[in-house]
């Protein structure tokens, strides 16, 4: 039986000490104090069902810098279309089952990273991360979540490193704010950011319009230091960190047109602009990227000294090296 502690599917289950250990290790890589090559002579598979710039490039570079080789596969593109359902009768468009895909791949590779977004069709199903969990179920090597329907732990750990670098180790008022976007997006980034910020002990504020609540179970797991509000103006006041992200409504899941019609009223109210930022505690602006300029955030904020999005993206590299070294370095 596989030791599931070897997977990184979310930060759920990581202790504060373990998270801090990863952040310290990431800083050692970033400063050049750790130039070890624990992946020398070994390969790591990176499976992308969806497009990516940061995750793909930073994982490939990180694996290279640790001495290893990245094998990048895109099911339905550079590898066969994949089925994940148990008992599926594969007489349609899916050529290979995850059961074979994973067990073949692990004969070549010491870990598998997987990116598989939500399809935004069936909330009850997608909130269980079925594709990611199928990989974890069949694999005997570590599975690293490179963003699934519900979680993006590599992003949130880089976010926590960025907050620590910019603002120090003390508790901060950290605001996760919904922003308007022309279409509904998955909840992985806001879920993982909220979870990691709570795990780090920050005072977390989640601001979103009515009807855009995150997953109930996730919210329950955040503990007592979380405030949820529909008042975006109040949320920004005194904030040390503004983390903007758009996401879709659970109640309109699978009904894109209804979500788009409902969110239209929030377009101008929920953009991150200079006026809102002026009410923060000289707060930093964060976003996982890619970001739509003058939709999620104005040029004036994104191009201001308060914006730390490029450093945040760089930290993906250092944190992922720390994750790979922790999972595969022993
Ligand atoms: N933030 C993030 O995961 O970026 P990519 O989608 O470009 O990988």
């Amino acid at each position: 039986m596989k030791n599931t502690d070897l997977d990184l599917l979310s930060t759920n289950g990581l202790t504060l000490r373990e998270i801090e250990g990863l952040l310290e290790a990431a800083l050692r890589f970033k400063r050049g104090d750790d130039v070890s090559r624990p992946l020398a002579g070994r390969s790591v598979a990176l499976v992308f069902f969806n497009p990516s710039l940061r995750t793909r490039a930073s994982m490939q570079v990180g694996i290279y810098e640790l001495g290893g080789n990245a094998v990048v596969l895109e099911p339905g593109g550079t590898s066969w279309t994949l089925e994940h359902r148990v008992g599926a009768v594969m007489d349609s468009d899916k050529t290979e089952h995850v059961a074979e895909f994973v067990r073949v791949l692990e004969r070549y590779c010491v870990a598998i990273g997987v990116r598989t977004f939500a399809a935004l069709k069936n909330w009850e199903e997608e909130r269980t991360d079925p594709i990611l969990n199928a990989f974890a179920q069949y694999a005997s090597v570590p599975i690293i979540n490179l963003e699934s329907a519900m979680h993006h732990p590599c992003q949130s750990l880089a976010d926590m490193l960025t907050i620590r670098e910019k603002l120090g180790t003390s508790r901060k008022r950290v605001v996760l704010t919904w922003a308007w976007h022309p279409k509904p997006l998955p909840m992985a980034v806001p879920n993982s950011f909220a979870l990691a910020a709570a795990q780090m002990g920050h005072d977390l504020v989640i601001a979103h319009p009515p009807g855009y609540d995150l997953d109930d179970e996730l919210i329950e797991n955040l503990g007592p230091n979380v405030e949820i509000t529909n008042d975006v103006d109040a949320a920004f006041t005194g904030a040390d960190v503004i983390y903007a992200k758009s996401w879709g409504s659970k109640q309109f899941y699978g009904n894109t047109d209804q979500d788009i019609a409902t969110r239209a009223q929030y377009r101008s109210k929920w953009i991150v602009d200079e006026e809102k930022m002026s009410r923060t505690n000289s707060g930093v602006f964060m976003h996982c990227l890619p970001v739509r300029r003058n939709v999620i955030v104005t040029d004036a904020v994104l191009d201001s000294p308060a914006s730390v999005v490029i450093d945040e993206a760089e930290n993906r590299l250092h944190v992922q090296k720390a994750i790979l070294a922790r999972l595969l370095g022993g």
Side-chain angles (χ1 to χ4, degrees):
M1 191 65 156
K2 178 184 172 189
N3 177 0
T4 52
D5 286 349
L6 293 177
D7 295 329
L8 182 71
L9 305 186
S10 79
T11 61
N12 225 344
L14 291 181
T15 63
L16 177 59
R17 194 185 173 95
E18 287 170 324
I19 293 174
E20 287 185 332
L22 284 169
L23 302 188
E24 292 298 329
L27 282 172
R28 285 194 293 277
F29 282 120
K30 186 168 187 174
R31 293 178 186 135
D33 295 339
D34 187 344
V35 291
S36 62
R37 293 163 61 84
L39 299 186
R42 301 197 283 174
S43 292
V44 174
L46 304 174
V47 182
F48 283 89
F49 287 82
N50 310 98
S52 166
L53 167 64
R54 280 141 291 270
T55 307
R56 179 173 172 155
S58 58
M59 283 300 286
Q60 281 192 264
V61 170
I63 291 163
Y64 169 78
E65 289 183 1
L66 295 177
N69 171 59
V71 176
V72 182
L73 298 167
E74 295 140 323
T78 53
S79 64
W80 304 111
T81 49
L82 275 186
E83 176 60 77
H84 68 277
R85 293 169 300 164
V86 175
V89 178
M90 293 170 54
D91 58 0
S92 184
D93 60 334
K94 301 291 167 55
T95 307
E96 183 153 39
H97 199 282
V98 171
E100 285 73 53
F101 179 91
V102 162
R103 289 181 296 164
V104 169
L105 211 44
E106 67 186 20
R107 298 287 173 103
Y108 316 138
C109 299
V110 293
I112 302 173
V114 189
R115 163 165 289 199
T116 172
F117 285 166
L120 295 164
K121 287 185 178 156
N122 181 333
W123 169 249
E124 288 307 325
E125 182 186 323
E126 291 176 31
R127 69 176 294 280
T128 67
D129 262 336
I131 300 176
L132 178 71
N133 283 313
F135 273 74
Q137 177 193 333
Y138 292 112
S140 58
V141 298
I143 296 293
I144 303 169
N145 183 357
L146 302 180
E147 188 172 356
S148 64
M150 286 293 282
H151 288 283
H152 197 354
C154 295
Q155 178 69 55
S156 64
L157 289 168
D159 296 336
M160 294 308 118
L161 180 62
T162 308
I163 293 172
R164 173 171 292 210
E165 273 189 310
K166 301 295 177 189
L167 302 174
T169 55
S170 63
R171 196 161 95 186
K172 300 296 173 200
R173 178 174 166 87
V174 170
V175 177
L176 167 64
T177 178
W178 185 91
W180 182 86
H181 185 283
K183 60 183 184 184
L185 297 178
M187 295 183 192
V189 168
N191 283 345
S192 283
F193 180 81
L195 181 59
Q199 287 175 295
M200 293 296 289
H202 290 301
D203 292 326
L204 174 65
V205 179
I206 304 175
H208 59 72
Y212 285 81
D213 312 70
L214 295 176
D215 182 56
D216 293 339
E217 190 179 327
L218 180 113
I219 295 293
E220 275 172 31
N221 282 340
L222 297 180
N225 285 346
V226 58
E227 175 192 333
I228 299 174
T229 180
N230 300 141
D231 185 342
V232 66
D233 293 322
F236 272 66
T237 303
D240 299 302
V241 174
I242 296 296
Y243 195 99
K245 188 71 185 80
S246 194
W247 62 87
S249 167
K250 288 180 294 179
Q251 67 190 11
F252 302 132
Y253 221 80
N255 191 341
T256 302
D257 290 344
Q258 211 173 343
D259 194 328
I260 289 171
T262 302
R263 64 178 48 214
Q265 64 189 300
Y266 304 124
R267 180 169 185 164
S268 57
K269 182 73 180 168
W270 286 80
I271 192 170
V272 180
D273 58 16
E274 284 178 296
E275 189 281 318
K276 288 193 187 73
M277 288 300 292
S278 73
R279 284 184 285 104
T280 66
N281 181 28
S282 302
V284 295
F285 173 79
M286 299 180 69
H287 190 282
C288 63
L289 304 182
V291 69
R292 292 192 182 220
R293 283 176 172 261
N294 304 308
V295 169
I296 302 289
V297 55
T298 61
D299 281 343
V301 172
L302 193 57
D303 296 330
S304 75
S307 173
V308 298
V309 297
I310 305 300
D311 291 336
E312 182 184 355
E314 181 195 328
N315 283 339
R316 296 290 307 277
L317 169 65
H318 310 301
V319 155
Q320 284 154 201
K321 287 172 72 176
I323 292 167
L324 288 162
R326 176 179 186 263
L327 295 178
L328 302 169

